Amino acid sequence: MPDLLDASPYDALLLLSFGGPEGPDDVVPFLENVTRGRGIPTERLKEVGSHYFLFGGVSPINDQNRALLDALRKDFAEHGLDLPVYWGNRNWDPYLTDTLREMVRDGRRRILVLATSAYASYSGCRQYRENLADALAALEAEGLDLPRVDKLRHFFNHPGFLEPMVDGVLRSLAELPEEVRDGAHIAFSTHSIPTSAADTSGPVEDHGDGGAYVRQHLDVAGLIADAVRERTGVDHPWRLVYQSRSGAPHIPWLEPDICDHLEERHAAGVPAVVIAPIGFVSDHMEVLYDLDTEAADKARELGLPMSRSATVGDDPRFAAAIRELITERAATERGQEIAPCFLGSLGASHDLCPVGCCPARASRPAAAGADSPYA
């Protein structure tokens, strides 16, 4: 048996994700949850949800989270980390509030949260913290004793997140025809967000053009490109690009769009492209539709050889990274000095989101941060 790792003072881990429909009848109710309060009519939601119907009304994200849960539990058991793992979603069953209620009734008092987003942004961090505050408020209204909830730091530059993506790009390059492989361009893709949200992402000192969101992605892209060069001897050109834009067309969002980028690179004479979705933890709907459907169709239309690399998903190295982040944070909470694990120039992200980090358009309570009403 392995020596037991110490997770104290924490007594549970909560995997917090976005959620997704698991059948055609779920699509519109799911989108109503996602867009609640925006007054979007049902007919428009059916149009927005058309890409879900192409896949039988099922988003793969829930099954991918189940696979990650299995990977985490397996890794914890193999390495002697006695920490139960729960799962809750923002927008679909199992809902976050229901899961937190279950955790409280199971006697969990100090909870660590793993959000399935690696980078700093409002939608990738603070909005999850707002959802946690909403759930805690609901439990408080029910008269339940509230647990203390902390969130794991951003893991964008942890080796266990980066190394599977490096291997994915190498496999994708190997899939290209040999005559175009060395000249292939790498398009590192992530979710587009409004430029105003990007500019205010991260702590206040990181605010500015693109904020922490863009800087963190550029750091990851550069690390992967450097690793690919070291292992292949080929210096592939690359660029950070964006996908999955939504919202009013008059509001500026991060660009270039992946399909526009493919057109531009083809016109410039690039012989092939590898798309690396570094902004996503798993191959969920936005990867399957925006990259494997729309971008792949665009590449075929252009006659441009294209390969798409995998996300980290339930890779054992990613599960190990989460274990390391847990024991790192637990040691810090116990007052021990510990060197955080990271690669690149940006250093390890903060444990506690400071005041002014990734601010919302309208002020709302957010848990697991310096401004949390549930300290």
Side-chain angles (χ1 to χ4, degrees), residues 47-121:
E47 293 176 17
V48 171
S50 60
H51 54 284
Y52 286 100
F53 294 115
L54 291 176
F55 297 88
V58 178
S59 168
I61 193 170
N62 283 343
D63 278 345
Q64 289 163 2
N65 280 323
R66 293 181 183 105
L68 179 56
L69 288 167
D70 289 343
L72 290 170
R73 288 165 179 152
K74 181 175 185 289
D75 178 271
F76 292 1
E78 289 176 349
H79 292 86
L81 180 62
D82 184 17
L83 195 70
V85 185
Y86 295 74
W87 171 34
N89 289 324
R90 285 170 49 180
N91 298 299
W92 202 248
D93 186 64
Y95 289 101
L96 169 59
T97 301
D98 296 337
T99 300
L100 270 182
R101 185 183 297 110
E102 176 189 0
M103 297 177 81
V104 168
R105 290 174 175 167
D106 286 348
R108 310 305 176 192
R109 305 305 306 153
R110 288 291 302 271
I111 297 169
L112 261 179
V113 177
L114 165 63
T116 53
S117 177
Y119 303 88
S121 71

Side-chain angles (χ1 to χ4, degrees), residues 118-130:
Y119 303 88
S121 71
Y122 170 74
S123 57
C125 184
R126 185 176 177 89
Q127 192 169 15
Y128 282 106
R129 294 176 47 226
E130 291 175 352

Side-chain angles (χ1 to χ4, degrees), residues 315-373:
D315 189 291
R317 290 168 292 183
F318 182 47
I322 300 308
R323 167 174 42 84
E324 291 169 4
L325 288 171
I326 290 167
T327 55
E328 170 195 300
R329 179 64 182 273
T332 300
E333 289 295 311
R334 296 193 302 268
Q336 298 173 231
E337 290 189 11
I338 187 165
C341 187
F342 67 90
L343 297 175
S345 62
L346 297 183
S349 185
H350 47 260
D351 281 333
L352 190 69
C353 292
V355 175
C357 192
C358 304
R361 287 169 292 182
S363 180
R364 289 180 56 197
D371 55 353
S372 172

Side-chain angles (χ1 to χ4, degrees), residues 1 28 54 61 116 119 149 158 211 216 235 248 291 299 323 355-356 366:
M1 292 292 291
V28 171
L54 291 176
I61 193 170
T116 53
Y119 303 88
V149 177
H158 194 287
Q216 290 171 1
D235 191 7
L291 298 183
R323 167 174 42 84
V355 175

